[in-house]
Amino acid sequence: MSAGNKPRLGFWQIWNMSFGFLGIQFGWGLQMANMSAIYEFLGASPDEIPALWLAAPLTGLLVQPVIGYMSDRTWHPRYGRRKPYFLVGAVLASAALLFMPNSSAVWMAAGLLWILDASINVSMEPFRAFVADMLPEEQHTEGYTMQSMFIGLGAVIASALPFLLTNVFGLQDAPGANLIPTSVRLSFYIGAFAFLGAVLYTVLTVKEYPPLDSPEDMRKREEKKGFGAGVREIFHCIGNMPATMRQLALVQFFTWPGLFLMWFFFGSAITRSVFHYDDSLGKFEKMHVYYEQHKADPAIADLASLVEQYRAAQPKETAELPDAGTRFANLDVFQSEMSANRERRKDGTEWGGVCFAFYSLVTFFFSFLLAYIAHRTSKKMAHAVCLCFGAAGLLSLPLMGSQYALFISMFGVGIAWASILSMPYAMLAPALPTDKTGIYMGIFNFFIVIPEILASLFFGKIMENVLHNDQMSAVMIGGGLLLLAAVLTLLVKEKTGVGAR
């Protein structure tokens, strides 16, 4: 069987080829729900968060087109075309997940995020091309919606893990524990094994079709090419994108910053608006950890002696420490207020994960319905309506006064997420030349990551100088961007059949 003569595949065959996305989403889900909180636990301020997320889009910009180009030109009779990239990315990403929650400083967490995102991108991009490789055109929608289903399922488990470990399994932090909660650290360890296991399942259960060219033809063709030729081909493809791809690129350009702002700030926003975390106590948190670790020391008899000892032990941390004496009446008040505030932040962070799990659960179930809706209407109409649901969800967040009311907003986000993960790719695949699917899928990712890079580089200034670090306003701006993307989707002209080379 060759890639040019593809039979229709059954449900379980599509299941097997998509199962690896469950692991990939474990990696994404853990970082989306927890990285902003990890940065804040380690001392980052809200206006610093966007720049600290720069790893995700920048690694996608650099890695995905290169991996797409390489995987288009890879073939091994035993290992296949895309599967070697699935596996290498999974091994590296799993290692990064094991190290991430043990970060002791912001710079360390940021560096590990670069490694994690680069590795996830190595696995993820070939999975997008895998659908076009393995399925006939009439099953592309089913293939991408199956990926969407596994993305939703993986995100449900990954996002909810810290909450479940604390509230179902009774995991608690000891006094003076690491700033990063134990529930978060253990979730990353579980995610590492889930990522590698799910990708291994797909690698072992799916046999790829040989490419249209024989391995010998591919070898001879590659002998005439080098790195420079590959770079020239990437730029040639950028300049000769099919019309449908250009139109979808604009949709993606506004969709993904909307999501990115939600991932940046949702957990922090609800921690403050619903769980009432007090930012003014944030600068005392490291001193509180120090107190928990040294409170048995008889030299710490009152608040003044604690401050004096902490300043001596951590002079760099106390250069801008506010006057504790004007904020707390005594050591007991300090202990009580700081413990309660830290618990509010922990509760808000974990509930943010629950909310992400809920919208991912909606994505999981809605994915079964989405292909039917797209067939009955059109892919672009289905996508536009779903984006409107997502916009309504984010714009309605300030109206949600309790933690359970947040599920109403997240319901709309889940519908949008199901479509974002599948419909643009289902609209794009028929417009692409079959021998360049991987490289074009990588280039398509530019229109996700470039606006994310812009947000990472410049939105911090907007947060600081315009929004005054109001995280909820940032999330609502994301809702407005999703609404604009919905309007632009209606302008897309869908194409069937293979695009021009």
Side-chain angles (χ1 to χ4, degrees):
M1 181 64 64
S2 73
N5 183 24
K6 293 173 282 193
R8 289 182 62 87
L9 298 186
F11 176 86
W12 291 110
Q13 291 171 300
I14 301 175
W15 171 286
N16 288 345
M17 61 178 281
S18 303
F19 191 82
F21 244 113
L22 178 70
I24 290 173
Q25 190 55 37
F26 239 98
W28 283 127
L30 284 169
Q31 73 172 59
M32 295 307 175
N34 296 290
M35 279 311 302
S36 288
I38 287 174
Y39 285 142
E40 287 199 351
F41 282 130
L42 295 173
S45 62
D47 56 273
E48 293 174 323
I49 297 298
L52 291 169
W53 274 92
L54 185 61
L58 196 56
T59 54
L61 180 68
L62 298 174
V63 170
Q64 290 214 15
V66 173
I67 294 299
Y69 174 82
M70 292 171 61
S71 67
D72 280 345
R73 283 152 181 78
T74 296
W75 176 253
H76 189 281
R78 180 176 179 182
Y79 303 113
R81 168 182 280 183
R82 315 291 181 185
K83 292 195 296 184
Y85 298 91
F86 301 165
L87 189 55
V88 170
V91 170
L92 295 174
S94 296
L97 285 168
L98 289 173
F99 286 105
M100 175 70 76
N102 294 299
S103 302
S104 58
V106 171
W107 66 267
M108 187 182 299
L112 284 166
L113 184 61
W114 281 84
I115 297 171
L116 175 62
D117 278 341
S119 305
I120 292 175
N121 276 297
V122 170
S123 284
M124 186 178 70
E125 195 286 328
F127 260 105
R128 293 299 190 189
F130 204 38
V131 170
D133 289 349
M134 300 293 294
L135 295 175
E137 183 181 318
E138 63 269 19
Q139 285 194 295
H140 284 176
T141 299
E142 284 81 356
Y144 287 117
T145 53
M146 182 70 81
Q147 287 186 353
S148 179
M149 183 200 76
F150 276 117
I151 289 170
L153 181 61
V156 168
I157 303 170
S159 301
L161 258 181
F163 177 85
L164 294 175
L165 290 171
T166 296
N167 295 279
V168 176
F169 296 99
L171 187 67
Q172 298 294 330
D173 288 305
N178 192 304
L179 284 171
I180 299 174
T182 304
S183 60
V184 173
R185 288 188 285 121
L186 185 57
S187 296
F188 273 74
Y189 301 154
I190 294 171
F193 291 101
F195 195 134
L196 185 58
V199 170
L200 272 174
Y201 179 87
T202 289
V203 168
L204 296 174
T205 59
V206 177
K207 182 176 177 59
E208 292 187 72
Y209 302 141
L212 293 175
D213 292 340
S214 69
E216 181 65 18
D217 289 338
M218 292 182 68
R219 184 186 64 79
K220 291 180 178 178
R221 184 176 65 184
E222 287 306 298
E223 285 178 351
K224 300 177 182 178
K225 291 190 174 184
F227 177 78
V231 172
R232 287 194 296 273
E233 182 162 355
I234 291 173
F235 279 99
H236 173 79
C237 291
I238 293 173
N240 293 274
M241 290 187 294
T244 300
M245 182 172 174
R246 290 196 299 270
Q247 294 159 357
L248 286 168
L250 193 60
V251 174
Q252 298 290 80
F253 190 88
F254 289 102
T255 297
W256 283 84
L259 294 171
F260 223 45
L261 291 176
M262 178 186 73
W263 291 327
F264 281 167
F265 297 116
F266 176 83
S268 298
I270 67 164
T271 296
R272 288 153 177 82
S273 67
V274 176
F275 289 86
H276 310 296
Y277 172 77
D278 186 348
D279 276 306
S280 69
L281 298 178
K283 294 194 176 193
F284 296 101
E285 286 186 348
K286 289 188 178 181
M287 188 170 77
H288 181 242
V289 171
Y290 180 87
Y291 170 69
E292 290 285 1
Q293 294 171 340
H294 298 86
K295 61 183 179 182
D297 186 344
I300 303 179
D302 52 28
L303 184 61
S305 60
L306 168 63
V307 173
E308 181 181 357
Q309 187 164 318
Y310 180 62
R311 288 186 184 278
Q314 303 287 344
K316 292 183 179 179
E317 298 290 346
T318 58
E320 298 181 3
L321 189 68
D323 184 359
T326 62
R327 182 64 179 82
F328 309 102
N330 52 53
L331 188 57
D332 289 338
V333 172
F334 169 77
Q335 164 71 349
S336 175
E337 288 194 27
M338 292 304 302
S339 295
N341 204 48
R342 184 176 182 181
E343 195 65 25
R344 286 192 289 268
R345 175 142 75 173
K346 181 173 178 287
D347 290 344
T349 299
E350 291 179 347
W351 195 256
V354 171
C355 289
F356 279 20
F358 179 79
Y359 87 65
S360 300
L361 188 66
V362 173
T363 295
F364 173 77
F365 286 109
F366 187 72
S367 295
F368 292 101
L369 184 62
L370 182 57
Y372 172 79
I373 294 173
H375 285 310
R376 290 298 301 267
T377 56
S378 68
K379 296 170 189 172
K380 73 174 184 180
M381 182 58 67
H383 190 51
V385 171
C386 289
L387 287 175
C388 287
F389 271 94
L394 295 184
L395 291 169
S396 66
L397 273 175
L399 304 177
M400 305 303 157
S402 74
Q403 62 191 83
Y404 297 104
L406 294 170
F407 291 152
I408 299 172
S409 295
M410 291 295 100
F411 183 83
V413 173
I415 290 174
W417 187 226
S419 187
I420 290 166
L421 294 170
S422 55
M423 285 299 106
Y425 301 97
M427 287 187 275
L428 175 65
L432 300 180
T434 55
D435 63 335
K436 297 179 181 177
T437 302
I439 190 171
Y440 271 117
M441 287 291 184
I443 292 169
F444 192 53
N445 191 58
F446 285 179
F447 303 99
I448 297 173
V449 300
I450 289 174
E452 291 178 353
I453 289 171
L454 294 175
S456 296
L457 290 175
F458 301 112
F459 201 80
K461 291 296 182 183
I462 297 174
M463 279 295 293
E464 183 178 11
N465 299 312
V466 179
L467 301 181
H468 306 294
N469 285 333
D470 183 348
Q471 292 98 330
M472 187 63 76
S473 295
V475 175
M476 293 180 68
I477 290 173
L481 291 173
L482 290 183
L483 192 60
L484 177 57
V487 174
L488 293 171
T489 300
L490 298 175
L491 305 179
V492 174
K493 295 182 180 179
E494 293 185 58
K495 182 180 178 67
T496 58
V498 176
R501 296 179 187 273

